[in-house]
Amino acid sequence: MKTLDAYQAVRFDHDSDELILLDQTLLPNETRFLRLREPETVREAIHVLRVRGAPAIGVAAAYGYLLAAIAAQSHPADRFRADVAAARALLASARPTAVNLFWALDRMDRRFTAAAGLTNDAAVAALREEADAIRDEDTAMYRAIGDHGLSLLRPGMGILTHCNAGQLAASRYGTALAPIYRGQERDSNFRVFADETRPLLQGARLTAFELHAAGVDVTLICDNMAATVMGNGWIDAVLVGCDRVAANGDVANKIGTRGVAIMAKHYGIPFYVLGPTSTIDMATATGRDIVIEERPAAEVTTLWYEKPMAPAGVKAFNPAFDVTDNALVTAIVTEKGVARPPYGESLARLFA
Ligand code: MRU
C-alpha cells in the first residue's frame, strides 16, 4: 500500500506546541497545512470540516484540549482548571453527531482529573501523553478493522463506499477503506466505486483522491448513480464508516448512507459498517436518540459553484448525517471483531 504520509490529516509538533492539520476543505486542488495554537482555531477547523471524519475529529479535539492547558499553564491552579474547562466546552460544541469528539474529550477530562493534585506542568505533561495515546492507538486498530473487514470479501469484488472513511479521516488505513488498503497489500484487486457524496463532496474530493493516489482502482459516481451500478451487478459489497453507532446497532453516518443501505437491501448486496469501538455509544439506546447536525443551506445552493445553482432565498434542508436502521446492516466491523444481528447482544459482547 502506498501510504499518503504527505497527506497526514492530524499531527502535533511537540517542539513548537502546534497542531498541524491538513486543510481538507482545499483538497484535491491544494495541499495546505495549518499550524494551530489555540483551542478556538481548533474548534473552527472541526466546525468547518478542515479536519473531519469521526476519529480524526477526536484526535484534533484532544490536542485542542492540550493547547488550552498549555496556554493556561502559568496561571494559578484554579484559573488553569477554569480555562481548560471553558476550552473543553468550546471544543465539544464544534459538531454534535460524531461520538469520537466527546469520547476523546472525556478521556482528556479523566486524565486531567487524575492529575488534580499535581503541578500545572505535571498536568500538562499528563495531557500531552493522553493526546498522543489517543493518536497512537490508531494505526494498529485500523489495521485490525481492515483485516476483519477483508475476511468478509473476496479478491476482485466490486465495492461501493460513501463519503470518506479513509486515511484522511482515520490515520493510515481508515475504517471503511481499511479492507481495501489491506486487500491491496495482498493483490485483492478490488474495484471501488466512490459516491461523490453531496453536498460537501467528501467522496469526490477525498475518497477518490486518496484511493487514486494510492493506486487503487476507483471510479467516481454521482450519488444518484448508485442504484445503476448496483443494478448492473458491479457491486458485491458496500463498505461505509460511522459517526455514532447506537446500542441497538442503528448507525449514524454521512447523509445518503441510509439510501445506499436501502438500495443494497433491494439488490441483495451485503452492507457493512466499519468503525472503532470508540464510535459505538452504548449510552445511546437507538438511532432516534442521536443528534443530527444541520449545516448551512449555502452548502447545498451555492458553495461549490461559480454561480448560485438555486434561486436566491429558496429554502434548503441540509442534514449532515442520517441514521441507517440496524435491520439494513449486515455486520458492524470493529477492531475487536465482526458484530452481527441481533446487535443489542453482539455489541454488548464487544464491551464485556
Ligand atoms: O462530515 P464528515 O466529513 O465529518 O463525515 C464523515 C463521515 O460520515 C464518515 O463516514 C465517518 O465520520 C467515519 S470516518 C472514519
Side-chain angles (χ1 to χ4, degrees):
M1 167 200 178
K2 280 190 211 167
T3 58
L4 301 178
D5 286 342
Y7 300 102
Q8 241 181 298
V10 186
R11 280 175 293 156
F12 194 83
D13 182 337
H14 284 290
D15 294 323
S16 62
D17 282 337
E18 289 172 314
L19 175 63
I20 305 172
L21 294 182
L22 172 61
D23 187 344
Q24 297 190 32
T25 62
L26 303 176
L27 288 174
N29 299 310
E30 191 184 334
T31 306
R32 190 191 300 165
F33 289 94
L34 310 168
R35 301 184 77 95
L36 309 181
R37 298 185 65 93
E38 300 92 23
E40 291 78 11
T41 49
V42 177
R43 188 221 179 251
E44 189 269 353
I46 295 172
H47 184 64
V48 305
L49 276 59
R50 299 187 200 288
V51 59
R52 31 67 51 205
I57 290 173
V59 177
Y63 282 118
Y65 194 116
L66 171 64
L67 286 172
I70 292 170
Q73 198 167 353
S74 59
H75 295 322
D78 51 347
R79 165 105 190 266
F80 173 56
R81 295 216 153 242
D83 281 7
V84 172
R88 192 251 189 243
L90 183 79
L91 289 162
S93 72
R95 297 188 77 186
T97 306
V99 75
N100 301 63
L101 172 68
F102 309 97
W103 170 86
L105 292 173
D106 286 348
R107 265 184 72 163
M108 296 298 279
D109 277 346
R110 283 197 293 276
R111 194 65 190 259
F112 198 41
T113 305
L118 307 180
T119 62
N120 292 2
D121 289 357
V124 168
L127 292 175
R128 209 180 272 283
E129 227 176 69
E130 193 66 24
D132 281 349
I134 290 171
R135 178 201 60 197
D136 292 342
E137 287 160 14
D138 275 17
T139 302
M141 192 164 66
Y142 298 131
R143 189 185 298 119
I145 291 174
D147 290 345
H148 290 305
L150 193 57
S151 72
L152 304 169
L153 307 173
R154 287 186 311 284
M157 274 186 161
I159 292 168
L160 182 92
T161 189
H162 189 74
C163 195
N164 174 263
Q167 299 187 35
L168 291 165
S171 71
R172 190 64 191 259
Y173 293 102
T175 58
L177 301 192
I180 294 165
Y181 286 127
R182 292 296 278 166
Q184 191 190 26
E185 291 169 0
R186 295 163 173 76
D187 295 326
S188 291
N189 295 321
F190 295 127
R191 290 166 292 106
V192 181
F193 290 81
D195 279 351
E196 66 173 349
T197 317
R198 280 276 290 155
L200 293 183
L201 303 181
Q202 289 92 332
R205 296 187 303 105
L206 308 176
T207 297
F209 170 74
E210 67 164 81
L211 290 178
H212 186 65
V216 172
D217 177 346
V218 59
T219 303
L220 178 64
I221 58 169
C222 299
D223 297 333
N224 53 9
M225 299 169 189
T228 294
V229 298
M230 287 182 182
N232 287 353
W234 297 347
I235 306 298
D236 302 293
V238 175
L239 305 182
V240 296
C242 44
D243 279 78
R244 192 185 293 242
V245 177
N248 71 343
D250 289 347
V251 175
N253 192 50
K254 178 53 53 193
I255 189 72
T257 303
R258 186 197 311 180
V260 174
I262 292 168
M263 288 186 272
K265 179 113 182 162
H266 177 80
Y267 287 106
I269 298 167
F271 180 89
Y272 298 119
V273 173
L274 299 93
T277 45
S278 55
T279 309
I280 300 171
D281 181 7
M282 297 303 278
T284 294
T286 76
R288 279 190 301 281
D289 306 308
I290 298 175
V291 177
I292 298 295
E293 175 183 16
E294 211 175 311
R295 297 188 60 85
E299 290 180 351
V300 176
T301 54
T302 51
L303 189 70
W304 299 110
Y305 307 114
E306 281 181 13
K307 294 179 189 163
M309 282 294 146
V314 73
K315 283 193 288 182
F317 176 49
N318 186 14
F321 300 95
D322 60 23
V323 174
T324 299
D325 190 280
N326 60 32
L328 298 170
V329 178
T330 310
I332 297 174
V333 181
T334 75
E335 78 279 12
K336 293 188 184 171
V338 179
R340 298 211 179 243
Y343 292 110
E345 291 160 26
S346 60
L347 294 181
R349 269 198 304 276
L350 292 177
F351 293 93

